[in-house]
Amino acid sequence: MVIPEHTAKAFDVDLQELSRMVAEMGGLTEKQIADAVDALSRRNPEQARQIVEADLEIDALQREIEAKAVLTIARRQPMAVDLRELLSALRLCSDLERIGDLAKNIAKRVLVLDVELHSSRVIRGVQHMGTLVLAQLKQVLDSYAGRDLEKALAVWNGDEQIDAMCTSIFRELLTYMMEDPRNITPCIHLMFCAKNIERMGDHATNIAETVYYMIEGHSMPDLRPKGDTTTFGGLRPG
Amino acid sequence: MVIPEHTAKAFDVDLQELSRMVAEMGGLTEKQIADAVDALSRRNPEQARQIVEADLEIDALQREIEAKAVLTIARRQPMAVDLRELLSALRLCSDLERIGDLAKNIAKRVLVLDVELHSSRVIRGVQHMGTLVLAQLKQVLDSYAGRDLEKALAVWNGDEQIDAMCTSIFRELLTYMMEDPRNITPCIHLMFCAKNIERMGDHATNIAETVYYMIEGHSMPDLRPKGDTTTFGGLRPG
């Protein structure tokens, strides 16, 4: 089938516009992660409220990207490789939307964390997890924009470190909870926050798999490294 | 534009096949929820392992539905209402996949819950939440299959009850944790399990919104009832 030139051009314009929208959504999501971790570290309820608000923007953008991608598929009838590109945009914005939700969940906890946390060490640990996840997300969005398989694989392999850090934070929080019942409530909030960040890392890994699929034309063999033992060992200290 | 009859027929066949696949995925997901809650109640590691295994099947089915939906869009160039139908299938299978993940997460916790839980009351609470979520999922899948707006809205409104139950379970677990540090580890596992079930309810609500969109042609006005106070009050007992 020969595609008329104007169709091919229109398709390119659609793809470019979609890439722009995905990049915009990625940028907003990165900002939400950074802000959520910041709001948590400084226990800033005003910032937390802004994060909850801004999540609506990310959700709206996802809807726009979905609509645009599906309409492009219907109008331009792309073939194999281009179809993969559009499906990848759909998958990617779904993961970004979930990351945004997780950042919002952290912000909601900031709004109720009224108890003083004696341990700035744990907070630093959570901050460090946030920094790592943010770096992972930036890198995987770069790998998407640049069709860079190597970069995507680096993200895929880097998730282990975040999982390990989550496990170590869980252990530490558990110790504080055992020490003094007054620590239980704030520590549970922090556990959920750490778990949320760990889940963000999983979504960055999903995006890496999408980039792999987009470039290679088939799914990644399922060999995901699983350093996350929060479900397992993290709650068995000592 | 007049669509040739054979194209219209081929499109109907595609749509029917997609509906069948979504129904199959829905059935598998329902089974995973029921099994996960059952495995948790009876602390059955063998059953838990089967759930983790079976999740791969759900993931594979999602990939198939995605591929089929996107290919149908590209081949048949459907117009507005049909396009909505296909986009809805894509959204729906994304929510089902996440529900499956959440069931798998519960199963993983069953594998490490080696501590005796003194409170069968909490377990009954979690079981009850599971039953409610399962009913919600069944109903929303029915509303999808039957294009039943009223049923979808009932699911949407029913989520509040699950959230309230989650809050009440959190309160109870917190009390046990305060009472005896030995309860802390198992209670945290149960909190995460309850939270996973509560999240399943959110996904059922998402599906209800998708059904609304599919039938009405526009998004639901954002008026979601929010009975979930687990982020807020649930961790402030007394």
Side-chain angles (χ1 to χ4, degrees), chain A residues 164-189:
Chain A
M165 198 168 294
C166 189
T167 301
S168 130
I169 289 171
F170 265 51
R171 285 225 179 87
E172 193 169 344
L173 287 169
L174 200 53
T175 314
Y176 298 138
M177 291 162 94
M178 300 278 190
E179 268 169 27
D180 185 344
R182 283 169 300 180
N183 291 336
I184 291 178
T185 294
C187 285
I188 289 173
H189 281 302

Short mmCIF file of all heavy atoms in Angstrom, two decimals, chain A residues 164-189:
data_model
loop_
_atom_site.label_atom_id
_atom_site.label_comp_id
_atom_site.label_asym_id
_atom_site.label_seq_id
_atom_site.Cartn_x
_atom_site.Cartn_y
_atom_site.Cartn_z
N ALA A 164 15.94 -1.96 47.30
CA ALA A 164 16.79 -2.27 48.46
C ALA A 164 16.70 -1.15 49.49
O ALA A 164 16.64 -1.40 50.71
CB ALA A 164 18.24 -2.46 48.00
N MET A 165 16.65 0.09 49.00
CA MET A 165 16.57 1.22 49.91
C MET A 165 15.23 1.22 50.65
O MET A 165 15.16 1.53 51.84
CB MET A 165 16.73 2.50 49.11
CG MET A 165 17.08 3.67 49.99
SD MET A 165 17.60 5.07 49.02
CE MET A 165 19.11 4.41 48.36
N CYS A 166 14.18 0.85 49.95
CA CYS A 166 12.86 0.78 50.57
C CYS A 166 12.87 -0.25 51.70
O CYS A 166 12.37 0.01 52.80
CB CYS A 166 11.82 0.42 49.51
SG CYS A 166 10.12 0.56 50.10
N THR A 167 13.47 -1.40 51.43
CA THR A 167 13.56 -2.44 52.44
C THR A 167 14.30 -1.93 53.68
O THR A 167 13.88 -2.18 54.82
CB THR A 167 14.32 -3.66 51.87
OG1 THR A 167 13.60 -4.11 50.73
CG2 THR A 167 14.41 -4.79 52.88
N SER A 168 15.37 -1.21 53.45
CA SER A 168 16.17 -0.74 54.58
C SER A 168 15.39 0.32 55.39
O SER A 168 15.45 0.34 56.63
CB SER A 168 17.53 -0.25 54.06
OG SER A 168 17.84 1.01 54.55
N ILE A 169 14.66 1.17 54.71
CA ILE A 169 13.83 2.17 55.42
C ILE A 169 12.73 1.47 56.24
O ILE A 169 12.46 1.84 57.38
CB ILE A 169 13.22 3.18 54.42
CG1 ILE A 169 14.31 4.11 53.88
CG2 ILE A 169 12.10 4.01 55.07
CD1 ILE A 169 13.86 5.00 52.74
N PHE A 170 12.13 0.45 55.66
CA PHE A 170 11.10 -0.31 56.38
C PHE A 170 11.68 -0.89 57.68
O PHE A 170 11.06 -0.83 58.73
CB PHE A 170 10.55 -1.44 55.51
CG PHE A 170 9.29 -1.07 54.78
CD1 PHE A 170 9.21 0.10 54.03
CD2 PHE A 170 8.17 -1.87 54.83
CE1 PHE A 170 8.06 0.46 53.36
CE2 PHE A 170 7.00 -1.53 54.17
CZ PHE A 170 6.95 -0.36 53.43
N ARG A 171 12.86 -1.45 57.57
CA ARG A 171 13.50 -2.05 58.76
C ARG A 171 13.69 -1.02 59.85
O ARG A 171 13.39 -1.25 61.01
CB ARG A 171 14.89 -2.61 58.38
CG ARG A 171 14.82 -3.88 57.62
CD ARG A 171 15.84 -4.92 58.14
NE ARG A 171 15.68 -6.13 57.35
CZ ARG A 171 16.30 -6.34 56.20
NH1 ARG A 171 17.16 -5.46 55.73
NH2 ARG A 171 16.09 -7.46 55.53
N GLU A 172 14.20 0.14 59.43
CA GLU A 172 14.48 1.20 60.40
C GLU A 172 13.18 1.69 61.06
O GLU A 172 13.11 1.85 62.29
CB GLU A 172 15.20 2.35 59.70
CG GLU A 172 15.78 3.32 60.70
CD GLU A 172 16.71 4.33 60.03
OE1 GLU A 172 17.14 4.09 58.88
OE2 GLU A 172 16.99 5.36 60.67
N LEU A 173 12.17 1.91 60.23
CA LEU A 173 10.89 2.38 60.77
C LEU A 173 10.30 1.38 61.76
O LEU A 173 9.75 1.74 62.80
CB LEU A 173 9.90 2.64 59.63
CG LEU A 173 10.18 3.88 58.78
CD1 LEU A 173 9.31 3.90 57.53
CD2 LEU A 173 9.94 5.16 59.60
N LEU A 174 10.47 0.12 61.43
CA LEU A 174 9.96 -0.94 62.30
C LEU A 174 10.62 -0.88 63.68
O LEU A 174 9.96 -1.06 64.71
CB LEU A 174 10.21 -2.29 61.62
CG LEU A 174 9.37 -3.45 62.09
CD1 LEU A 174 7.90 -3.14 62.04
CD2 LEU A 174 9.68 -4.68 61.23
N THR A 175 11.90 -0.63 63.67
CA THR A 175 12.63 -0.52 64.93
C THR A 175 12.06 0.61 65.80
O THR A 175 11.82 0.43 66.99
CB THR A 175 14.13 -0.23 64.66
OG1 THR A 175 14.56 -1.11 63.64
CG2 THR A 175 14.96 -0.43 65.90
N TYR A 176 11.81 1.76 65.16
CA TYR A 176 11.23 2.88 65.93
C TYR A 176 9.85 2.55 66.47
O TYR A 176 9.48 2.96 67.57
CB TYR A 176 11.12 4.14 65.05
CG TYR A 176 12.43 4.65 64.54
CD1 TYR A 176 12.58 5.09 63.24
CD2 TYR A 176 13.55 4.71 65.38
CE1 TYR A 176 13.79 5.57 62.76
CE2 TYR A 176 14.77 5.18 64.91
CZ TYR A 176 14.88 5.60 63.60
OH TYR A 176 16.08 6.05 63.15
N MET A 177 9.08 1.81 65.69
CA MET A 177 7.74 1.45 66.13
C MET A 177 7.78 0.53 67.34
O MET A 177 6.96 0.61 68.25
CB MET A 177 6.97 0.78 64.98
CG MET A 177 6.65 1.74 63.85
SD MET A 177 6.24 0.85 62.32
CE MET A 177 4.48 0.78 62.46
N MET A 178 8.76 -0.37 67.33
CA MET A 178 8.92 -1.31 68.43
C MET A 178 9.35 -0.57 69.70
O MET A 178 8.95 -0.92 70.81
CB MET A 178 10.00 -2.35 68.10
CG MET A 178 9.71 -3.18 66.86
SD MET A 178 8.59 -4.54 67.25
CE MET A 178 8.66 -5.48 65.71
N GLU A 179 10.19 0.44 69.50
CA GLU A 179 10.76 1.19 70.62
C GLU A 179 9.71 1.95 71.41
O GLU A 179 9.75 2.01 72.63
CB GLU A 179 11.78 2.22 70.10
CG GLU A 179 13.20 1.73 70.06
CD GLU A 179 14.07 2.72 69.29
OE1 GLU A 179 13.74 3.93 69.25
OE2 GLU A 179 15.06 2.27 68.72
N ASP A 180 8.80 2.59 70.68
CA ASP A 180 7.86 3.49 71.34
C ASP A 180 6.54 3.55 70.54
O ASP A 180 6.54 3.95 69.39
CB ASP A 180 8.50 4.90 71.42
CG ASP A 180 7.63 5.88 72.21
OD1 ASP A 180 6.44 5.60 72.43
OD2 ASP A 180 8.18 6.94 72.60
N PRO A 181 5.44 3.17 71.19
CA PRO A 181 4.16 3.14 70.47
C PRO A 181 3.76 4.48 69.88
O PRO A 181 3.01 4.53 68.91
CB PRO A 181 3.15 2.73 71.56
CG PRO A 181 3.94 2.17 72.67
CD PRO A 181 5.32 2.73 72.59
N ARG A 182 4.29 5.58 70.45
CA ARG A 182 3.94 6.89 69.91
C ARG A 182 4.53 7.10 68.50
O ARG A 182 4.11 7.98 67.76
CB ARG A 182 4.42 8.01 70.84
CG ARG A 182 3.53 8.18 72.06
CD ARG A 182 4.19 9.09 73.06
NE ARG A 182 5.48 8.53 73.50
CZ ARG A 182 6.31 9.11 74.39
NH1 ARG A 182 5.97 10.27 74.92
NH2 ARG A 182 7.45 8.54 74.73
N ASN A 183 5.52 6.28 68.18
CA ASN A 183 6.11 6.39 66.84
C ASN A 183 5.28 5.66 65.78
O ASN A 183 5.52 5.82 64.58
CB ASN A 183 7.52 5.77 66.83
CG ASN A 183 8.49 6.60 67.65
OD1 ASN A 183 8.28 7.80 67.84
ND2 ASN A 183 9.54 5.95 68.14
N ILE A 184 4.35 4.81 66.22
CA ILE A 184 3.68 3.92 65.27
C ILE A 184 2.97 4.69 64.16
O ILE A 184 3.20 4.44 62.97
CB ILE A 184 2.71 2.96 66.00
CG1 ILE A 184 3.52 1.96 66.85
CG2 ILE A 184 1.83 2.20 65.01
CD1 ILE A 184 2.69 0.98 67.66
N THR A 185 2.12 5.64 64.54
CA THR A 185 1.36 6.36 63.51
C THR A 185 2.24 7.07 62.48
O THR A 185 2.10 6.83 61.28
CB THR A 185 0.34 7.32 64.16
OG1 THR A 185 -0.62 6.52 64.86
CG2 THR A 185 -0.39 8.15 63.12
N PRO A 186 3.18 7.93 62.92
CA PRO A 186 4.00 8.59 61.89
C PRO A 186 4.81 7.60 61.06
O PRO A 186 5.01 7.80 59.86
CB PRO A 186 4.91 9.55 62.68
CG PRO A 186 4.84 9.08 64.10
CD PRO A 186 3.51 8.45 64.28
N CYS A 187 5.27 6.53 61.71
CA CYS A 187 6.09 5.56 60.97
C CYS A 187 5.27 4.83 59.90
O CYS A 187 5.78 4.51 58.83
CB CYS A 187 6.74 4.56 61.92
SG CYS A 187 8.13 5.27 62.83
N ILE A 188 4.00 4.56 60.20
CA ILE A 188 3.15 3.91 59.19
C ILE A 188 2.99 4.85 57.99
O ILE A 188 3.09 4.43 56.85
CB ILE A 188 1.77 3.54 59.78
CG1 ILE A 188 1.93 2.38 60.76
CG2 ILE A 188 0.81 3.13 58.66
CD1 ILE A 188 0.67 2.05 61.52
N HIS A 189 2.75 6.13 58.27
CA HIS A 189 2.65 7.09 57.16
C HIS A 189 3.91 7.06 56.31
O HIS A 189 3.84 7.04 55.09
CB HIS A 189 2.43 8.50 57.71
CG HIS A 189 1.01 8.78 58.11
ND1 HIS A 189 -0.04 8.65 57.22
CD2 HIS A 189 0.46 9.18 59.28
CE1 HIS A 189 -1.18 8.96 57.85
NE2 HIS A 189 -0.90 9.27 59.10
#
